[in-house]
Amino acid sequence: MMKKRITWIILGFSIYALFMGLYLFYWADFGVPDAYKGTAADPATFMTERELQLSEEYSRYRSFLSFLAIPFEWIIYLGVLGFGLSRIFKQFSEGISKKKIVVVPLYILLLTAFTWVFTFPLQYWARSLSVKYGINTQSFSGWMKDEMVSFWINVGLTSLVIGVLYALIKRFRKKWWLAAWGLMIPYLAFMMYIQPVVIDPLYNDFTSLSDKALEEQILDMAETADIPANRVFEVNMSEKTNAMNAYVSGIGSNLRIVLWDTTMDKLDDDEVLFIMAHEMGHYVMNHLYGNLIGALGTSLVGLYLAYRLLGGMIRKWGKSWGVSSEADLASLPALFLLFSVMSFIASPVELAISRHAEVQADEYAIEMTEDVDAAVGSFQTLTVNSLNEVNPPFLVKYLKYGHPTMMERLIMLNDYKKNTQAE
């Protein structure tokens, strides 16, 4: 029976990978519609022939890897359960100590390490691609350092969350999902509060913005937007990447306005101001809190569905997995599998909401700066610098894009400029 299941899983994954490869490399069209050729939305007007070729190649490979990673994660969880590894991890942990404060972190460490080892080839392939195409500039040792930081942060936070979750499952057999959701509210708010000042500095050094004149302009914009900030933080990202970014993150006294040095180096000041106005738009329109509310809503639904489905899975396959009940820590891979599948199913809706929020932030930035040319220039430079596809295929857009496509954003700017001139 096990051999048959493995055969079907390998066959299914192979067919899926073949389909995605054919779709991305042969069937999908990355070009722009004829109606927009020659406009600001046409990459041929601001990218060289070589840049166009590299952009299309990189986009196809990157998307292919991203699509492979989704079911591959599910296969790992099924393998951990099907081969009895989850039960072995738990027994080993309990052999070290019977105390839950030791058992849970040790089990999480073993499961996380096993998962990391099997996903490492895909991660390394993705990194190699970004290096090959000139996006990633970080040394291998630096990249591995960040990987290890992420690994241990993941182990620590997951141990805390899972320890509490399984204590709730054991105590509240039928209402654990509701109790867990109640604790999600302070947890997510706390994470938003500490992210900018505790977690982010583990990866990068944050300093005051070196360009004081630019900082003053950004802070003037922040004051206009009623954002309580008295400094702008600069991150030295040029050691790691050629990509550009800026953001406003955190809540309360830990709110931070952050600008990557790559953004400042590659854009003119007016273009940087448009990017910062866009990020401020997210704050002004309460998108940060909207994300929190959205996460709480989806977690409520996800936890309830997990409660309904996990028991059925264990009743059907628990004996072969070596899992006795929902409260058995060895059931965790099944829970992770459920969350991952549900997240994938919900992603088109979540991404559509995110794209709508990004459109709102773009519109806010245009109204604040009144500089359409700077907006166009920033988007075009971002496209060239990151080798982004201007018009991604349907599946890539609706399953991966949390922002409008560059073509959509540039068309919107072009229409805005026409309407302004007509007035």
Side-chain angles (χ1 to χ4, degrees), residues 16 19-20 23-24 27-28 63 67 70 344 347-348 351 355 389 392-401:
Y16 169 80
F19 171 80
M20 293 310 306
Y23 175 76
L24 290 169
W27 301 337
S63 297
F67 280 119
I70 299 169
F344 174 73
S347 63
L351 291 172
R355 288 193 297 270
E389 62 270 45
F394 177 85
L395 289 181
V396 176
K397 174 182 175 180
Y398 289 99
L399 293 178
K400 292 296 176 184
Y401 262 55

Side-chain angles (χ1 to χ4, degrees), residues 311-325:
M313 292 175 67
I314 292 174
R315 283 190 295 272
K316 187 169 184 178
W317 298 296
K319 188 175 180 180
S320 63
W321 292 344
V323 177
S324 59
S325 68

Side-chain angles (χ1 to χ4, degrees), residues 185-197 227-228 248-257 283 286-292:
I185 300 173
Y187 174 77
L188 291 177
F190 179 69
M191 289 304 298
M192 287 181 66
Y193 183 76
I194 69 168
Q195 179 83 31
V197 297
I227 296 177
V248 177
S249 68
I251 56 177
S253 60
N254 282 358
L255 182 139
R256 282 188 169 187
I257 299 176
Y283 178 88
N286 296 313
H287 290 162
L288 297 177
Y289 296 103
N291 290 340
L292 177 60

Side-chain angles (χ1 to χ4, degrees), residues 117-130:
V117 167
F118 275 85
T119 57
F120 181 78
L122 286 179
Q123 296 179 54
Y124 181 76
W125 190 4
R127 183 220 173 235
S128 298
L129 278 174
S130 64

Side-chain angles (χ1 to χ4, degrees), residues 14-62:
S14 300
I15 293 173
Y16 169 80
L18 177 62
F19 171 80
M20 293 310 306
L22 290 172
Y23 175 76
L24 290 169
F25 290 94
Y26 294 97
W27 301 337
D29 183 11
F30 283 74
V32 298
D34 291 339
Y36 298 109
K37 288 184 176 177
T39 69
D42 183 358
T45 64
F46 59 88
M47 297 177 77
T48 66
E49 219 175 290
R50 179 59 176 164
E51 287 170 340
L52 285 169
Q53 179 187 352
L54 292 175
S55 172
E56 188 170 319
E57 287 178 4
Y58 182 56
S59 298
R60 291 180 194 274
Y61 282 115
R62 182 178 56 183

Side-chain angles (χ1 to χ4, degrees), residues 4 10 231 260 330 394:
K4 186 176 180 181
I10 293 175
R231 64 187 294 195
W260 286 11
F394 177 85

Side-chain angles (χ1 to χ4, degrees), residues 135-137 200 203-211 214 218 232-249 257-267 272 275-276 279 382 385-386:
I135 308 300
N136 191 319
T137 60
D200 289 347
Y203 295 93
N204 303 295
D205 294 326
F206 290 77
T207 61
S208 295
L209 196 66
S210 56
D211 188 333
L214 180 60
I218 294 173
V232 179
F233 289 87
E234 179 180 335
V235 189
N236 181 16
M237 292 299 295
S238 55
E239 295 180 350
K240 298 182 177 182
T241 181
N242 282 317
M244 300 183 294
N245 195 17
Y247 57 88
V248 177
S249 68
I257 299 176
V258 179
L259 180 64
W260 286 11
D261 64 334
T262 50
T263 307
M264 189 169 58
D265 293 341
K266 296 176 186 299
L267 296 180
V272 172
I275 296 296
M276 292 309 308
E279 299 303 327
L382 180 62
N385 201 64
S386 300

Side-chain angles (χ1 to χ4, degrees), residues 53-102:
Q53 179 187 352
L54 292 175
S55 172
E56 188 170 319
E57 287 178 4
Y58 182 56
S59 298
R60 291 180 194 274
Y61 282 115
R62 182 178 56 183
S63 297
F64 181 65
L65 276 175
S66 180
F67 280 119
L68 284 187
I70 299 169
F72 190 67
E73 179 186 16
W74 304 344
I75 292 173
I76 291 174
Y77 291 140
L78 287 172
V80 171
L81 291 166
F83 287 102
L85 294 176
S86 185
R87 173 176 50 82
I88 293 172
F89 292 161
K90 190 192 77 166
Q91 290 175 342
F92 177 83
S93 302
E94 291 175 339
I96 300 298
S97 173
K98 295 297 182 182
K99 296 181 179 180
K100 293 297 182 184
I101 197 171
V102 175

